[in-house]
Amino acid sequence: MATIRFIDQNLEVEVPLGTSVLAAAQKIGAPEGSACGGVCACSTCHVYVEKGAELLSDADDDEEDILDKAFDVRMTSRLGCQSKIVREGVVEVRISNESLDAYYNEHPGEPRPR
């Protein structure tokens, strides 16, 4: 098992190995976008991995290509749908503004925290 923390939302969830960051977000209700349904066709699940990057699967060429089109890409950027936990430990992420905007656009009835 591994733990994923969504830093700014103060949310934490324990998930089995093989779980993606996006699936963990959906399990706990963290506001991570997923316009394409998690198939690596958009960048709405863009997160910043603050801790535990070594516990995640490596980014492949498809993920890198999508990140090239994302906003505010950093050295710690990953797509939540492609970042699978492969080792036990703690992963801490920040959901990008791009992803937060996508989530609240996808869920118009949910109030956005200020």
Side-chain angles (χ1 to χ4, degrees):
M1 297 292 278
T3 300
I4 299 185
R5 291 187 186 126
F6 296 89
I7 299 167
D8 296 326
Q9 291 72 32
N10 199 29
L11 294 172
E12 178 176 299
V13 63
E14 191 172 79
V15 294
L17 297 183
T19 303
S20 70
V21 171
L22 178 60
Q26 291 169 337
K27 179 177 180 178
I28 198 168
E32 185 176 351
S34 61
C36 75
V39 297
C40 197
C42 70
S43 59
T44 59
C45 63
H46 179 198
V47 297
Y48 305 113
V49 180
E50 301 288 323
K51 178 182 175 187
E54 70 281 359
L55 306 176
L56 300 174
S57 58
D58 292 332
D60 64 15
D61 289 341
D62 290 339
E63 180 180 354
E64 295 291 343
D65 289 345
I66 295 296
L67 281 171
D68 283 343
K69 301 170 191 160
F71 297 101
D72 194 21
V73 175
R74 303 175 188 172
M75 293 298 296
T76 60
S77 289
R78 291 295 306 268
L79 295 181
C81 70
Q82 298 302 298
S83 304
K84 293 197 165 95
I85 301 166
V86 294
R87 289 180 215 38
E88 293 182 358
V90 177
V91 177
E92 294 183 353
V93 300
R94 291 188 191 280
I95 301 172
S96 71
N97 285 333
E98 173 185 20
S99 185
L100 290 168
D101 288 343
Y103 178 86
Y104 289 108
N105 287 335
E106 294 164 13
H107 301 86
E110 192 165 326
R112 185 172 182 155
R114 298 285 169 193

